[in-house]
Amino acid sequence: CTLVFIFAAACGDDVSRTGTEATPAVTRTAAVLPSTERPVEAASAKPGPSPSYELTARAFCKAEVSADIRAEGAADSAVVGALPSGEEAGVIERGGKWAHILYKGLAGYVESGSLLILSPVPVPEGDWSLILVNPSHKLPEGFTVELADFGGGQVDERIRDVCDRMFADAKKAGVSLKLVDAYRSEKRQNELFRRKVDAYVSKGYGRSEAEKLAATITARPNTSEHQTGLALDIVTPSYTKMNKGFAETKAFKWLDENAYNYGFTLRYGRDKTPVTKVIFEPWHWRFVGVEAAARMKISGQCLEEYLGKAD
Ligand SMILES: [Zn+2]
């Protein structure tokens, strides 16, 4: 009996996840298990007819501990397994309340609300998309990036298409996103930082104190993600200020719910200042790739925590 995984679309290494290498040792189907059996017993159950599933998307479990896998898409249907928090499952079919999933060879139904389903549209990602740039991780010496025009600014050319798609999809959903700033050269970052320092100095702060305060709002040169071309400052025409009020807009809500599917994460979250050393910036979105963005969304980790590089 073979269970054929056909991965319709995926990212990175998973693109070639087809055929027998992913075939589990025991083929199990939820439908053939007696309703009283728990997952442990299920492993020794007689395999049923060999099903072949075509997976339409990847999903991560976002339930706090785990999500029940049920034989049928109904709350009173037998529980045949569990999908632990953060684990990946293949989506066979997504309905409304229930999604038909495949997890380690076990097919069954999980409540859609427990899943973070990834868009099957491929998004580029790699080591480059997880670059950490912050006060203690400066841009590497001689860092360069190929740029492409986007939204009146410039971004790393590898993410231009996905930026286009994110803004277009938002528009289709009735949300207008407006780019304020993306790539910045070192020179430009230096100017912005100096300007912020001068503003504090003019308020009466000493220069070193002014620099410290300025750095919580505008990064020092070579410590800004904007120099990578992977960070976007986004507002909306009805609210163009880059302040925490942006978090109350429809545009932020859309980004908060959907940006992970385009590989973007809210980089400086509301309660993350002790880790990021940067104030809450609901307008600053950082491309990290879909997998990382989805995992950070589920875990609530910021990039430093996700990479295990929090100071
Ligand atoms: Zn920014």
Side-chain angles (χ1 to χ4, degrees), residues 2-277:
T2 52
L3 184 66
V4 180
F5 276 49
I6 302 165
F7 228 82
C11 310
D13 297 336
D14 292 322
V15 168
S16 61
R17 194 196 288 179
T18 309
T20 54
E21 63 189 20
T23 304
V26 181
T27 301
R28 291 170 277 152
T29 59
V32 300
L33 297 175
S35 63
T36 50
E37 280 198 355
R38 303 296 298 176
V40 182
E41 288 91 350
S44 59
K46 282 261 187 294
S50 305
S52 170
Y53 295 111
E54 185 166 337
L55 303 181
T56 58
R58 306 163 69 192
F60 294 116
C61 178
K62 65 176 181 181
E64 219 159 276
V65 180
S66 66
D68 289 336
I69 302 175
R70 295 179 184 274
E72 303 291 337
D76 58 358
S77 169
V79 174
V80 294
L83 178 62
S85 183
E87 283 285 297
E88 180 175 340
V91 178
I92 300 162
E93 198 178 358
R94 56 178 112 176
K97 194 172 185 306
W98 298 90
H100 192 195
I101 61 120
L102 186 67
Y103 173 63
K104 293 190 174 172
L106 175 68
Y109 291 80
V110 167
E111 276 192 84
S112 302
S114 303
L115 297 174
L116 197 65
I117 297 176
L118 306 190
S119 156
V121 182
V123 169
E125 56 195 356
D127 287 346
W128 57 271
S129 55
L130 286 171
I131 186 172
L132 179 63
V133 182
N134 67 16
S136 48
H137 295 82
K138 291 194 173 189
L139 265 187
E141 195 91 27
F143 176 87
T144 57
V145 56
E146 296 293 326
L147 297 167
D149 291 340
F150 170 72
Q154 287 180 305
V155 295
D156 181 319
E157 66 170 6
R158 290 167 288 198
I159 68 163
R160 201 258 308 275
D161 289 353
V162 75
C163 290
D164 270 336
R165 198 154 53 77
M166 181 165 79
F167 278 54
D169 287 352
K171 196 161 199 175
K172 277 183 227 155
V175 171
S176 186
L177 302 180
K178 182 175 161 28
L179 183 75
V180 178
D181 209 356
Y183 170 77
R184 291 178 198 149
S185 66
E186 181 183 353
K187 184 164 171 278
R188 170 93 180 118
Q189 189 65 34
N190 196 28
E191 281 167 14
L192 291 174
F193 181 68
R194 286 293 136 209
R195 203 181 297 165
K196 192 61 83 181
V197 172
D198 290 346
Y200 278 109
V201 169
S202 70
K203 282 181 191 165
Y205 289 96
R207 186 147 291 270
S208 114
E209 188 66 10
E211 286 195 359
K212 255 185 229 162
L213 288 167
T216 65
I217 298 169
T218 304
R220 295 170 197 266
N222 296 321
T223 69
S224 170
E225 294 196 320
H226 281 285
Q227 288 178 239
T228 66
L230 297 173
L232 308 182
D233 288 338
I234 302 171
V235 294
T236 191
S238 61
Y239 195 99
T240 56
K241 283 183 220 143
M242 291 197 290
N243 61 25
K244 63 178 192 288
F246 178 66
E248 309 307 319
T249 65
K250 206 166 86 170
F252 175 80
K253 192 167 183 291
W254 188 89
L255 286 165
D256 195 37
E257 284 168 8
N258 298 285
Y260 75 89
N261 245 333
Y262 305 87
F264 281 88
T265 189
L266 176 65
R267 181 66 179 86
Y268 306 115
R270 210 182 283 274
D271 307 312
K272 294 295 174 184
T273 302
V275 184
T276 63
K277 315 287 192 290

